[in-house]
């Protein structure tokens, strides 16, 4: 199985690159942000609770997203592999993901990190906010909060995969196709 963690700050291009990767490598895309937004759209209790935090740019509790990923792994037993997008976002989530992989007799193949500076992230998200309808793209303070959450809680996850020899990083600035080519080179070498 090919199990890829696509990593990077808010606006780095994880979702954009995931769309291309699932096509090329026939993987199942698991984005905790997308799953949470679909819970919100369906008006579930989980969605209502998560929305309060997401709209402020704050991470939702680990148990919530770990439970969601566990369910999705169970409901995709025939998959060739997975792209984890926006998960794991804390070291506790990374530890839980390793345990889930072991319970399925598989493992994370590698993490690919997209490196993009804060100014470019702000610009991309504000631009998207003009028509995305995402409340967390709507103003610069919330975008800053998301980047802060990333720096404080998520950036350390890179060390977790470095320690396992599974960390790869690429420049996330450039055309979408150029970046995709670089990611593909890494994936082909795994
Ligand atoms: P989530 O939905 O994961 O959002 P995010 O990580 O903040 O980032 P985005 O999805 O906005 O960015 P992306 O990296 O996917 O970039 P994209 O391809 O869209 O999370 C939202 C919230 O949910 C969190 O704040 C948290 O509250 C909660 N949550 C989710 N997962 C969680 C977890 N595991 N634990 C706890 N809480 C969790 O691209 C961005 C923009 O840039 C687009 O407009 C795109 O067109 C453009 N773009 C892409 N590539 C390029 C390029 N090469 N050049 C120029 N523009 C580009
Ligand atoms: Mg995304």
């Amino acid at each position: 199985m090919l199990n890829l963690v696509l990593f990077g700050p808010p606006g780095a291009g994880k979702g954009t690159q995931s769309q291309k990767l699932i096509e090329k490598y026939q993987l199942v895309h698991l984005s905790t942000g997308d799953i949470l937004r679909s819970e919100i759209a369906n008006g579930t209790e989980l969605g209502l609770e998560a929305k309060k935090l997401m709209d402020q740019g704050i991470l939702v509790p680990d148990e919530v997203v770990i439970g969601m990923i566990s369910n999705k792994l169970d409901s995709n037993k025939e998959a060739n592999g997975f792209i984890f997008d926006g998960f794991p976002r804390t070291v506790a989530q990374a530890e839980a993901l390793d345990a889930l992989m072991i319970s399925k007799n598989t493992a994370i193949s590698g993490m690919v990190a997209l490196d993009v500076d804060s100014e470019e992230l702000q610009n991309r998200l504000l631009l998207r906010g003009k028509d995305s309808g995402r409340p967390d793209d709507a103003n610069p303070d919330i975008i800053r909060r998301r980047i802060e959450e990333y720096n404080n809680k998520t950036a350390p996850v890179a060390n977790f995969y470095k320690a396992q020899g599974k960390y790869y990083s690429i420049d996330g600035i450039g055309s979408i196709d150029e970046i995709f080519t670089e990611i593909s080179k890494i994936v082909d070498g795994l």
Side-chain angles (χ1 to χ4, degrees), residues 1 27-31 35 39 66-82 84 100-101 103-104:
M1 268 179 113
L27 304 171
V28 173
H29 180 207
L30 296 184
S31 156
I35 301 167
E39 294 280 343
I66 293 166
M68 287 179 349
I69 290 288
S70 176
N71 290 340
K72 292 285 178 187
L73 293 176
D74 286 341
S75 57
N76 286 283
K77 288 211 168 74
E78 307 303 317
N80 281 333
F82 296 90
F84 297 95
L100 284 171
M101 291 283 107
S103 76
K104 313 264 174 226

Side-chain angles (χ1 to χ4, degrees), residues 5 7 84 86-91 93-95 97 111 154 157 161:
V5 176
F7 191 67
F84 297 95
F87 179 92
R89 244 175 161 104
T90 62
V91 172
Q93 291 178 24
E95 286 166 350
L97 180 58
M111 163 186 269
T154 306
V157 176
Y161 290 98

Side-chain angles (χ1 to χ4, degrees), residues 54-58 122 125-126 135-149:
M54 291 168 74
D55 286 358
Q56 299 176 72
I58 298 172
Q122 287 266 356
L125 294 177
L126 276 174
D136 60 344
D137 284 346
N139 89 57
D141 290 338
I142 297 172
I143 293 175
R144 245 189 306 275
R145 169 79 71 66
R146 287 162 65 191
I147 297 173
E148 256 171 47
E149 282 279 275

